[in-house]
Amino acid sequence: GAGVSQSPSNKVTEKGKDVELRCDPISGHTALYWYRQSLGQGLEFLIYFQGNSAPDKSGLPSDRFSAERTGGSVSTLTIQRTQQEDSAVYLCASSLDPHLYFGPGTRLTVT
Amino acid sequence: TQLLEQSPQFLSIQEGENLTVYCNSSSVFSSLQWYRQEPGEGPVLLVTVVTGGEVKKLKRLTFQFGDARKDSSLHITAAQPGDTGLYLCAGARSDSWGKFQFGAGTQVVVTP
């Protein structure tokens, strides 16, 4: 069956522009996670959704970051006024149980 | 500061050798997972351990969860080039259900 998909796979943007990253979870998975992975670093937790609500937003680095999930399915992570330190791979994962299924990630480069 | 500390950061060995990767924390976890990540892909789950002292074997991989549920180890016997990858541990605490915290990872390179 289909796994978690993310789009775009690569995004290059200029500093100050807004970007939207999309995640399509595995059908039926109620939980959805966003992580950020910088070069040489582990995964940094950003936010997770249970259904359409986000019980824990504590990982969002600043108020430039926001995320939403609609219909208990697709999620978008929006970064406003991007900065160079936002450059990283943004990973999405979905889960029905404690097993996280990750997508391939979106590589964001801010120039 | 990482909640989960992994060591070593990098490990390069020859095919056929054994290796052990460690994951340590001062926090108690209700469950701990190990993932392997290859370049350009997301991490893939290898195992979940939930009971203190638990040992799980997956072919040549042996996972152990510490008695106090604060640490874990991954041992690979007779490593093969296909074992090359970034090994990540992730823990979930009972007071923050759903929030999996990851270690920085151990990059393992197995050369033929």
Side-chain angles (χ1 to χ4, degrees), chain B residues 20-76:
Chain B
T20 303
V21 176
Y22 299 93
C23 176
N24 295 291
S25 177
S26 58
S27 296
V28 176
F29 294 98
S30 56
S31 68
L32 194 139
Q33 301 178 328
W34 284 93
Y35 291 79
R36 181 170 67 212
Q37 185 179 23
E38 299 188 19
E41 299 179 6
V44 175
L45 180 70
L46 296 174
V47 76
T48 300
V49 287
V50 297
T51 305
E54 182 176 3
V55 176
K56 280 193 174 179
K57 293 193 175 184
L58 184 65
K59 297 182 180 179
R60 294 175 295 98
L61 277 61
T62 301
F63 305 86
Q64 187 163 8
F65 200 14
D67 291 341
R69 291 184 290 136
K70 293 183 179 181
D71 56 85
S72 181
S73 64
L74 157 60
H75 182 80
I76 301 178

Side-chain angles (χ1 to χ4, degrees), chain A residues 31 33 35 37 40-45 48 50 56 58-59 91 98-105, chain B residues 2 31 33 35 37 40-45 48 86 88 96-105:
Chain A
Y33 301 77
Y35 287 87
Q37 186 172 32
Q41 302 290 319
L43 276 63
E44 175 188 4
F45 173 85
Y48 99 94
Q50 185 62 37
D56 192 336
S58 64
L91 290 161
H99 179 167
L100 300 182
Y101 295 82
F102 282 88
Chain B
Q2 297 276 156
S31 68
Q33 301 178 328
Y35 291 79
Q37 185 179 23
E41 299 179 6
V44 175
L45 180 70
T48 300
L86 179 67
L88 296 154
S96 55
W97 187 93
K99 184 176 179 178
F100 287 88
Q101 299 277 22
F102 280 77

Side-chain angles (χ1 to χ4, degrees), chain A residues 48-81:
Chain A
Y48 99 94
F49 291 90
Q50 185 62 37
N52 290 333
S53 56
D56 192 336
K57 302 180 182 180
S58 64
L60 294 176
S62 74
D63 58 9
R64 296 186 295 105
F65 287 72
S66 62
E68 65 175 14
R69 189 180 185 193
T70 54
S73 180
V74 172
S75 175
T76 55
L77 176 69
T78 301
I79 309 173
Q80 296 179 310
R81 305 180 302 281

